[in-house]
Amino acid sequence: MAEPMKIRAQMQGDTADIKVLMNHIMETGLRKDAKTGQMIPAHFIQQVNVTVGGKTVLDAQWGYAVAKNPFLGFKVKGAKAGEKIVVNWVDNKGDKRTDEATIA
Amino acid sequence: MKQDRRTFLKGAGAAGAVALAVAAGLLKPGQVLAADWNKNAFEAKSVADALKDINASGPAKSADILIKSPDIAENGAVVPVEVTSKIPGTTDIAIISEQNVNPLIAEFALANGAEGFVSTRIKMAKTSNVTVIVKAGGKVYTASKEVKVTIGGCGG
């Protein structure tokens, strides 16, 4: 099971500024292990879904080249303080993680 | 055991690719939110193929897409990219690094008040254009910015 995400969400006027920091190795599958000379298998987040107040606001598909421990920042107009944010991700090995936060 | 797994994956890959291609063609923009992972697009080796697979061929250049990223990235493994689309009704933002083995890096579908803004960090193999594709109101727009990379982020 992966480490929890860090989620921060703050209202700026009528827009929620949401920042998510995920913990993931994000292996591209293109690197060689320095010791064994074998290719390191790809292991990366493929899909990210974010809901605010129960509605999907962002649905991302990621490829091999999102950086390690991915950062995701976005803005949602019309969100309100106190609404719940739920972030889900699924990686190529089927690992999942869901974390929640409240808009401040 | 290992051998079995490999055979299985090979078979699944070939069948899956066809199913995905069909699905990609049939999906309407609004349904993208529930789509399967777009394997074809992310494994495409050229920008043109990737664009075809995300239904974004022939994008028009737009000055309303702002890309904020360093001019010189010392470490290609972590290149911050911030995209702002001022085009009204932006529903999709895709990020492409033209010289990567698989150029398409990420595609974001936005809905229910999410603004045309995405900030993330990507890996770049070498100096290249970072290209952003924006879908808005059924049309496709693009903008690019060159990022110089001194140490590659993909491969050895």
Side-chain angles (χ1 to χ4, degrees):
Chain A
M1 194 51 162
E3 295 284 309
M5 293 177 242
K6 285 184 187 140
I7 305 171
R8 209 181 67 181
Q10 277 184 315
M11 291 306 293
Q12 288 179 346
D14 63 347
T15 303
D17 186 15
I18 302 171
K19 294 186 172 107
V20 185
L21 195 57
M22 304 168 202
N23 269 296
H24 202 285
I25 185 167
M26 299 302 281
E27 199 55 70
T28 58
L30 300 170
R31 288 195 322 139
K32 266 187 191 156
D33 189 313
K35 280 185 198 145
T36 63
Q38 297 285 310
M39 296 301 276
I40 303 171
H43 188 197
F44 60 99
I45 296 176
Q46 287 188 318
Q47 290 184 295
V48 181
N49 173 276
V50 183
T51 61
V52 171
K55 285 187 200 158
T56 293
V57 291
L58 181 138
D59 217 345
Q61 298 212 347
W62 285 357
Y64 301 89
V66 172
K68 186 179 174 182
N69 295 333
F71 170 76
L72 173 62
F74 58 101
K75 293 173 181 174
V76 180
K77 208 180 167 85
K80 292 179 183 65
E83 278 189 309
K84 195 192 271 183
I85 302 167
V86 182
V87 184
N88 279 291
W89 59 248
V90 182
D91 72 19
N92 65 322
K93 294 185 177 175
D95 286 347
K96 289 175 190 176
R97 173 94 214 167
T98 302
D99 283 296
E100 295 178 0
T102 308
I103 300 176
Chain B
M1 177 62 203
K2 217 171 192 178
Q3 193 56 45
D4 284 349
R5 185 176 138 79
R6 197 160 283 174
T7 316
F8 168 74
L9 283 176
K10 232 182 223 168
V18 176
L20 270 175
V22 172
L26 292 176
L27 282 170
K28 295 191 182 101
Q31 293 173 307
V32 168
L33 289 174
D36 282 337
W37 191 65
N38 196 339
K39 188 171 189 285
N40 284 4
F42 287 108
E43 288 186 352
K45 303 277 185 208
S46 75
V47 176
D49 284 349
L51 288 186
K52 207 164 67 189
D53 287 324
I54 58 169
N55 294 325
S57 297
K61 278 211 158 58
S62 170
D64 288 328
I65 303 169
L66 309 177
I67 305 171
K68 208 169 113 185
S69 64
D71 295 327
I72 299 173
E74 283 189 12
N75 183 357
V78 187
V79 183
V81 177
E82 197 175 290
V83 180
T84 308
S85 164
K86 291 181 176 170
I87 304 165
T90 295
T91 53
D92 277 273
I93 295 177
I95 300 174
I96 289 169
S97 169
E98 292 178 6
Q99 293 294 326
N100 274 16
V101 180
N102 308 108
L104 181 62
I105 294 173
E107 189 182 12
F108 303 89
L110 307 164
N112 292 314
E115 295 193 336
F117 170 88
V118 169
S119 171
T120 188
R121 296 176 196 148
I122 65 171
K123 291 178 195 167
M124 294 179 69
K126 52 185 154 181
T127 297
S128 122
N129 272 339
V130 170
T131 294
V132 169
I133 304 292
V134 167
K135 289 188 198 169
K139 290 199 175 129
V140 186
Y141 303 92
T142 185
S144 295
K145 179 184 190 294
E146 193 192 47
V147 176
K148 287 197 163 66
V149 175
T150 42
I151 307 169
C154 297

